[in-house]
């Protein structure tokens, strides 16, 4: 998780200290020490397990209007009074 990510944007996947010793090293290796993981990092781990190989996440940056025009992303609509009442 310390490896440089390939998302195409700045992203934090996680960290595992490599200078720990003794019980701190043992705790880090089972995720109980000062190991940090982001949601993107954990999704990458799960995708790698499912794929059976290392998966490198890639962020696809496109213009939102292009996606709307292609019908991939529905346009956001403001809530009317009835919807606001339902949400509390």
């Amino acid at each position: 998780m310390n490896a440089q990510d390939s998302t195409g944007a700045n992203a934090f996947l996680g960290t595992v200290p490599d200078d720990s010793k003794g019980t701190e090293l043992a705790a880090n290796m089972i995720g109980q020490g000062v190991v940090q993981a982001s949601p993107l990092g954990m999704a990458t781990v799960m995708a790698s397990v499912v794929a059976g190989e290392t998966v490198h996440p890639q962020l696809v940056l496109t213009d939102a209007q292009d996606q709307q025009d292609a019908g991939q992303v529905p346009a956001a609509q403001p809530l009317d009074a009835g919807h606001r009442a339902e949400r509390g």
Side-chain angles (χ1 to χ4, degrees):
M1 294 180 90
N2 284 333
Q4 177 68 31
D5 64 89
S6 61
T7 59
N10 290 334
F12 174 76
L13 297 178
T15 60
V16 178
D18 56 3
D19 60 350
S20 25
K21 295 184 168 92
T23 56
E24 185 178 338
L25 174 63
N28 287 337
M29 293 302 105
I30 61 169
Q32 298 296 310
V34 290
V35 174
Q36 296 178 332
S38 72
L40 176 60
M42 294 314 302
T44 302
V45 168
M46 190 65 212
S48 297
V49 169
V50 169
E53 62 186 18
T54 301
V55 172
H56 301 281
Q58 294 182 349
L59 181 62
V60 179
L61 301 173
T62 62
D63 182 38
Q65 187 60 44
D66 290 342
Q67 290 180 359
Q68 279 184 343
D69 292 344
Q72 297 173 1
V73 177
Q77 301 295 322
L79 294 177
D80 61 26
H83 286 111
R84 281 192 293 267
E86 290 174 14
R87 297 200 67 173

